[in-house]
């Protein structure tokens, strides 16, 4: 096991300060691990721990860059982070780069496991704070049923590696719970999932139940529906938080109401705290974790801790064995 994480410090929406602070925090708390941090900015801070190496790069991958741009910008922070893992200088990558170049670059460099198409696996939380994974949420908009069947296996291994469940319950995202609901893709996938003895499949789940209580660990879907569901989930959470914040700026009665909703706000925080820091790209021969482009220090730190755990639990090897 390679106790080294390659960290793309500069591909997020902001400058490197949030990522760098997370790297310092992680390094101080994990003395037996090392971070190779790739930065576009010059960093001359005196508080850099010995187990955090800063590597200066001359290029950045932009939001609209393509696979050709990724290959051309061989001294970019994303390229060099990914390349270090391919060369076995690190055990996994953390980056907040845009989804397009990140998936294209990692796919081109790492290649997929047994011809699989990669999937974004994002962690969401139920109303009681129980974590569950949904995949795919943005990598592959045109899979076949066998691909989604493989996603169920990968998602189950991911949940096991995180220590959430030893026998993850799998459901397929659909417009109804009945076996024959959905498009031909959903129906064909349902049939394969039902016959798959490597997973604990429990039928379909409707979008309005994604956040509900109940036994659920893995939600399988194609990227188009998954991305819409995830962004709707994030949008609802943001709306509720904005309403609560706005209530502090209006009438005295609203402000009193805000104070009285302390327990509700505490439960909301638990329900919306995924603690993963981003989405794992599953289906590749090496590990890569994508943080949100707007990630803050806490988000990056969560992503680093998630990457550490997945390396320790040998996620990629477990997926290969399960497939």
């Amino acid at each position: 096991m390679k106790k080294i994480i390659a960290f793309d410090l500069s591909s997020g929406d902001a400058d490197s300060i949030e990522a760098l602070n997370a790297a310092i925090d992680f390094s101080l708390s994990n003395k037996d691990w090392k971070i190779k941090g790739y930065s576009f900015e010059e960093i001359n801070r005196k508080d850099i721990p010995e187990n955090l190496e800063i590597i200066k790069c001359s290029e950045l991958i932009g939001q609209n860059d393509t696979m050709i741009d990724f290959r051309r910008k061989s001294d970019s922070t994303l390229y060099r982070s990914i390349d270090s893992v391919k060369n076995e200088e690190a055990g996994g990558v953390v980056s907040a780069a845009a989804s397009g170049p990140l998936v294209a670059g990692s796919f081109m460099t790492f290649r997929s496991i047994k011809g699989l198409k990669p999937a974004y696996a994002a962690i969401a939380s139920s109303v009681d704070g129980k974590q569950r994974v949904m995949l795919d949420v943005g990598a592959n908009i045109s899979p076949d049923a066998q691909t989604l069947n493989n996603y169920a296996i990968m998602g189950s291994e991911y949940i096991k590696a995180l220590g959430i469940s030893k026998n993850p319950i799998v459901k397929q995202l659909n417009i109804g719970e009945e076996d024959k609901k959905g498009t031909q893709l959903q129906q064909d996938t349902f049939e394969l999932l039902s016959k798959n003895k490597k997973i604990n499949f429990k039928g379909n789940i409707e979008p309005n139940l994604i956040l509900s209580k109940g036994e659920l660990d893995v939600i399988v879907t194609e990227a188009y529906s998954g991305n819409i569901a995830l962004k709707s989930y994030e949008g609802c959470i943001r709306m509720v938080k904005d309403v609560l914040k706005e209530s502090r700026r209006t009438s005295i009665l609203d402000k009193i109401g805000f104070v009285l909703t302390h327990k509700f706000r505490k439960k909301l925080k638990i329900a919306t705290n995924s603690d993963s820091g981003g989405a794992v790209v599953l289906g590749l021969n090496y590990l890569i974790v994508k943080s949100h482009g707007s990630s803050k220090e806490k988000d990056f730190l969560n992503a680093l801790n998630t990457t550490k755990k997945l390396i320790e639990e040998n996620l990629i090897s477990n997926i290969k064995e399960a497939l």
Side-chain angles (χ1 to χ4, degrees):
M1 178 181 64
K2 185 76 69 173
K3 290 187 173 184
I4 303 174
I5 298 174
F7 191 7
D8 175 6
L9 297 170
S10 300
S11 290
D13 295 336
D15 59 28
S16 302
I17 188 66
E18 300 285 347
L20 179 60
N21 286 338
I24 291 173
D25 290 345
F26 178 89
S27 300
L28 291 173
S29 301
N30 299 274
K31 298 288 189 179
D32 57 333
W33 280 74
K34 178 179 179 180
I35 287 183
K36 294 170 71 72
Y38 295 87
S39 175
F40 181 69
E41 292 90 2
E42 194 72 46
I43 296 175
N44 296 306
R45 286 174 52 168
K46 295 181 179 180
D47 59 343
I48 303 296
E50 291 184 358
N51 55 334
L52 170 55
E53 178 186 1
I54 304 296
I55 299 115
K56 179 70 170 65
C57 302
S58 62
E59 296 175 297
L60 272 177
I61 295 293
Q63 292 282 335
N64 298 318
D65 279 346
T66 64
M67 185 182 293
I68 295 175
D69 296 314
F70 173 84
R71 188 191 296 272
R72 179 174 56 82
K73 295 181 179 181
S74 59
D75 196 41
S76 66
T77 54
L78 179 62
Y79 184 101
R80 293 193 62 184
S81 298
I82 290 176
D83 197 52
S84 69
V85 175
K86 179 188 177 185
N87 294 330
E88 299 186 352
E89 298 170 5
V93 180
V94 174
S95 174
S99 299
L102 184 141
V103 172
S106 58
F107 178 78
M108 180 179 68
T109 307
F110 293 163
R111 296 300 176 187
S112 61
I113 300 170
K114 296 181 179 180
L116 283 176
K117 293 181 178 179
Y120 269 134
I123 293 290
S125 296
S126 65
V127 293
D128 56 355
K130 186 178 184 296
Q131 291 185 323
R132 50 193 53 159
V133 65
M134 181 161 60
L135 72 167
D136 181 15
V137 296
N140 180 20
I141 63 172
S142 57
D144 55 19
Q146 183 57 54
T147 297
L148 295 182
N149 187 43
N150 288 332
Y151 286 174
I153 296 173
M154 295 195 298
S156 296
E157 292 302 319
Y158 182 32
I159 287 292
K160 292 177 187 177
L162 290 176
I164 295 173
S165 173
K166 293 182 180 179
N167 187 30
I169 292 175
V170 179
K171 292 190 177 184
Q172 178 185 212
L173 187 65
N174 208 332
I175 57 173
E177 295 184 358
E178 298 87 348
D179 298 7
K180 298 300 181 182
K181 279 286 186 176
T183 66
Q184 192 63 49
L185 173 63
Q186 275 78 48
Q187 294 178 39
D188 292 344
T189 300
F190 188 98
E191 184 176 352
L192 288 179
L193 294 173
S194 300
K195 296 176 181 178
N196 190 341
K197 299 186 181 302
K198 295 181 180 181
I199 61 171
N200 184 16
F201 181 59
K202 296 295 182 179
N204 291 323
I205 183 170
E206 295 183 64
N208 60 318
L209 298 176
I210 290 175
L211 307 182
S212 65
K213 293 182 180 179
E215 297 301 315
L216 173 64
D217 299 294
V218 180
I219 304 168
V220 176
T221 181
E222 38 77 31
Y224 188 82
S225 300
N227 192 267
I228 289 176
L230 181 66
K231 288 179 178 176
S232 298
Y233 157 77
E234 292 173 341
C236 288
I237 292 170
R238 192 178 302 114
M239 182 269 293
V240 173
K241 289 182 176 179
D242 288 345
V243 169
L244 288 172
K245 287 180 181 178
E246 186 63 27
S247 68
R248 291 182 295 179
R249 306 187 185 99
T250 52
S251 69
I252 294 297
L253 287 177
D254 284 339
K255 291 178 181 179
I256 294 173
F258 178 82
V259 174
L260 294 177
T261 59
H262 171 70
K263 289 186 178 180
F264 166 75
R265 286 183 282 114
K266 188 175 181 180
K267 289 183 178 180
L268 179 66
K269 184 177 181 180
I270 292 172
T272 58
N273 183 21
S274 68
D275 279 335
S276 66
V280 178
V281 183
L282 297 178
L284 303 176
N285 284 297
Y286 299 92
L287 178 64
I288 184 163
V289 176
K290 187 206 176 308
S291 289
H292 299 294
S294 58
S295 290
K296 301 300 183 183
E297 180 179 341
K298 180 184 177 182
D299 303 310
F300 282 123
L301 184 58
N302 288 337
L304 290 169
N305 284 322
T306 295
T307 304
K308 171 179 176 283
K309 185 170 184 61
L310 297 180
I311 292 173
E312 290 175 334
E313 296 298 324
N314 299 308
L315 173 63
I316 302 302
S317 296
N318 295 342
I319 288 175
K320 290 180 178 179
E321 184 177 344
L323 290 170

